């Protein structure tokens, strides 16, 4: 007699313990980094709108580097092309982890978050394109409202003192990882300058060497740091945005442990670089990317010009509608059963929160609109759209925070102090 099929865990139900621990550890650093990111963005806005705004512009536009290697960049460009490569390296590692051991490792578990994330990219892009076209504007910025800023979103949750259960946070993290991949692909495919195939060939050769070093278990930072810098420089000179090099290296790093290892190369690298990315690289990028002049006239242009209006509508309405509709339809299609402790209103609140688009949105905005005047309006729209999405999400989440607090406390209770939450030691708990 055939064994009965194992019952699937409910959607947004209790995570398996290893997955829960990985999510909690990943999000702890992101939350702290998000608070630093918020502080950097506020500092930039205050600085550029103060009597010392000209000092800000002089520092941002100051050039230095090695001209002979094609690396004579402004401070602003060093933060966008250089420091953000560290952010995308960490993003590549997180994507690889999701593909190997996380939510994306099997088609059955990946289908729902991937469909939700893709819908959450397509619908905002459509909102922007329709708004810009209807107003006779430039449709080049269609990709600006596509990506969710996980650090900024988690900072909002921290400020709210929210107690979202791990499953909701993991779903938000998976959405952000998938649409980070979408943003990376958009940057690599649509925002390339004149290609230098010799330099790109060198970058590809460097990635092959990087792979072989991983394949043959070669250890030692003195191999990887110089090689990584060379790959980054070649990618930059090849005409492809240099952050793509970071993603490529993150995806190559090995995420599985050998028997003799306490941690895989990807885990060690993420442990070292995650604080650098969240605490230094992204905040410095925010400091020099989010400094826009705030006046009544400039704020008015956000809602009267088609391009910035398209960004705001894409982030606030497009993200919420896209993610919620994608999740609801995918759940119906896959016959997923929502955790009975939660409601579809919780999914909608998360979808609204995902409308906070900052780091990748600002980067794509700079690439899509090389003219500084237009880029200023797009940056202002990203800031306005993210703040509106954060405020709406705060109202929705606070309304249900009592439910979240109860679930959070239940899944973290450890009365016997053995290091394993009691809920995982009950019959029927996810395997760990």
């Amino acid at each position: 007699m055939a064994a009965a099929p194992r019952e699937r865990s409910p959607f947004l139900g209790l995570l398996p313990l290893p997955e829960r621990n990985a999510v909690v550890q990943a999000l702890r650093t992101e939350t702290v980094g998000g608070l630093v990111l918020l502080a950097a963005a506020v500092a930039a806005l205050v600085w550029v709108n103060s009597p010392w705004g000209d000092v800000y512009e002089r520092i941002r536009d100051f050039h230095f580097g090695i001209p002979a290697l094609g690396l004579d960049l402004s401070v602003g460009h060093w933060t966008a092309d250089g420091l953000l490569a560290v952010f995308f390296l960490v993003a590549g590692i997180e994507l690889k982890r999701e593909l190997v051991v996380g939510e994306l490792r099997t088609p059955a578990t990946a289908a729902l978050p991937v469909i939700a994330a893709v819908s959450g990219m397509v619908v905002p892009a459509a909102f922007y394109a329709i708004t810009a076209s209807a107003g006779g504007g430039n449709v080049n910025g269609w990709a600006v409202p596509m990506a969710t800023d996980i650090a900024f979103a988690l900072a909002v949750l921290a400020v709210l003192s929210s107690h979202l259960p791990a499953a909701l946070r993991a779903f938000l993290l998976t959405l952000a990882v998938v649409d980070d991949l979408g943003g990376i692909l958009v940057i690599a495919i649509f925002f390339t300058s004149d290609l230098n195939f010799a330099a790109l060939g060198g970058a590809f050769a460097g990635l092959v060497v990087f792979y072989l070093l991983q394949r043959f278990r070669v250890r030692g930072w003195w191999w990887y740091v110089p090689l990584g810098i060379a790959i980054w420089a070649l990618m930059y000179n090849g005409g492809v945005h240099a952050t793509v090099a970071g993603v490529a290296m993150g995806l190559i790093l090995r995420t599985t442990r050998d028997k003799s290892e306490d941690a895989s190369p990807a885990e060690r690298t993420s442990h070292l670089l995650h604080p650098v990315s969240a605490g230094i690289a992204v905040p410095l990028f925010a400091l020099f990317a989010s400094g826009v002049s705030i006046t009544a006239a400039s704020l008015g242009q956000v809602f009267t010009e088609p391009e910035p209006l398209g960004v705001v509508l894409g982030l606030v309405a497009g993200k919420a509608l896209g993610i919620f509709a994608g999740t609801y339809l995918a759940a119906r299609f896959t016959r997923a059963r929502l955790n009975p402790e939660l409601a579809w209103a919780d999914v909608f609140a998360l979808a609204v929160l995902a409308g906070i688009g900052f780091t990748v949105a600002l980067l794509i905005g700079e690439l899509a609109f090389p003219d500084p005047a237009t880029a200023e309006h797009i940056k202002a729209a990203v800031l306005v759209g993210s703040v509106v999405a954060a405020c709406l999400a705060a109202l929705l989440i606070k309304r249900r925070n009592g439910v979240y607090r109860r679930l959070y406390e239940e899944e973290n209770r450890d009365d016997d102090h053995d290091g394993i939450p009691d809920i995982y030691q009950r019959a029927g708990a996810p395997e760990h």
Side-chain angles (χ1 to χ4, degrees):
M1 181 177 176
R6 186 170 176 265
E7 184 180 354
R8 291 174 60 187
S9 299
F11 170 51
L12 299 180
L14 188 65
L15 294 174
L17 186 57
E19 178 68 10
R20 172 193 175 275
N21 292 340
V23 167
V24 169
Q25 183 177 358
L27 296 185
R28 185 178 294 118
T29 305
E30 291 282 9
T31 302
V32 174
L35 294 171
V36 179
L37 172 64
L38 275 175
V42 171
L45 289 170
V46 171
W47 189 0
V48 83
N49 289 282
S50 74
W52 302 278
D54 58 328
V55 177
Y56 172 92
E57 293 177 358
R58 286 203 301 271
I59 294 174
R60 182 192 61 197
D61 298 334
F62 178 76
H63 277 247
F64 68 97
I66 309 173
L69 298 179
L71 296 174
D72 183 23
L73 309 177
S74 68
V75 171
H77 279 128
W78 274 112
T79 59
D81 293 286
L83 288 180
L84 274 196
V86 178
F87 164 78
F88 278 105
L89 172 58
V90 174
I93 292 172
E94 184 57 37
L95 175 61
K96 179 77 171 287
R97 193 196 73 81
E98 288 286 335
L99 290 169
V100 174
V101 298
E103 286 288 299
L104 306 180
R105 68 187 180 278
T106 62
T109 57
L112 203 153
V114 168
I115 291 171
V118 171
S119 179
M121 290 185 282
V122 172
V123 176
F127 264 71
Y128 176 91
I130 292 170
T131 304
S133 298
N138 188 335
V139 297
N140 286 351
W142 57 271
V144 174
M146 283 176 55
T148 296
D149 194 300
I150 183 66
F152 207 143
L154 291 171
V156 170
L157 293 177
V159 170
L160 293 175
S161 298
S162 169
H163 293 76
L164 282 189
L168 281 171
R169 292 175 183 263
F171 186 62
L172 181 64
L173 176 63
T174 305
L175 287 175
V177 167
V178 174
D179 69 16
D180 271 350
L181 174 61
I184 292 159
L185 291 174
V186 166
I187 291 169
I189 296 169
F190 296 100
F191 296 107
T192 56
S193 55
D194 295 332
L195 298 180
N196 180 332
F197 290 101
L200 285 178
F204 180 76
L207 290 171
V208 171
V209 173
F210 196 99
Y211 169 77
L212 291 174
L213 290 174
Q214 285 289 288
R215 179 73 176 79
F216 291 105
R217 304 303 195 260
V218 176
R219 297 185 62 171
W221 64 266
W222 50 87
W223 292 101
Y224 293 98
V225 173
L227 179 59
I229 293 172
I231 292 170
W232 171 85
L234 287 166
M235 191 76 76
Y236 176 84
N237 282 287
V240 174
H241 200 270
T243 52
V244 175
V247 178
M249 288 183 278
L251 289 171
I252 290 172
L253 281 168
R254 180 166 53 85
T255 55
T256 54
R257 302 179 187 180
D258 290 338
K259 291 182 179 180
S260 60
E261 292 180 320
D262 294 327
S264 68
E267 289 172 319
R268 291 194 297 271
T269 305
S270 181
H271 179 73
L272 288 171
L273 292 185
H274 211 146
V276 176
S277 168
I280 299 175
V282 174
L284 279 176
F285 168 74
L287 181 65
F288 292 107
S290 57
V292 294
S293 298
I294 301 296
T295 63
S298 64
L299 287 176
Q301 288 173 327
V302 168
F303 296 100
T304 55
E305 294 187 0
E307 295 91 348
L309 179 60
V311 170
V312 173
L313 291 177
L315 288 172
V316 177
K319 269 288 184 184
L321 177 62
I323 291 175
F324 180 78
T327 305
Y328 185 82
L329 293 174
R332 290 292 176 262
F333 178 74
T334 58
R335 297 179 181 175
R337 180 171 57 90
L338 181 67
N339 181 354
E341 300 276 6
L342 297 172
W344 282 105
D346 301 310
V347 178
F348 183 72
L350 216 61
V352 174
L353 183 67
I356 299 175
F358 196 75
T359 307
V360 177
L362 290 174
L363 177 60
I364 294 177
E366 289 186 344
L367 296 174
F369 297 98
D371 176 51
T374 308
E376 284 272 302
H377 297 156
I378 297 300
K379 289 180 182 180
V382 170
L383 294 172
V384 169
S386 297
V387 169
V388 172
C391 291
L392 292 174
L395 293 174
L396 295 171
I397 289 170
K398 272 297 186 184
R399 188 175 64 86
R400 296 274 293 170
N401 205 36
V403 175
Y404 302 150
R405 184 186 297 273
R406 178 174 57 78
L407 293 174
Y408 178 85
E409 290 174 351
E410 183 179 350
E411 71 179 31
N412 285 280
R413 183 174 293 116
D414 184 17
D415 291 337
D416 55 6
H417 306 291
D418 64 350
I420 299 175
D422 298 337
I423 197 170
Y424 286 96
Q425 296 170 319
R426 299 173 187 168
E431 295 178 2
H432 60 276

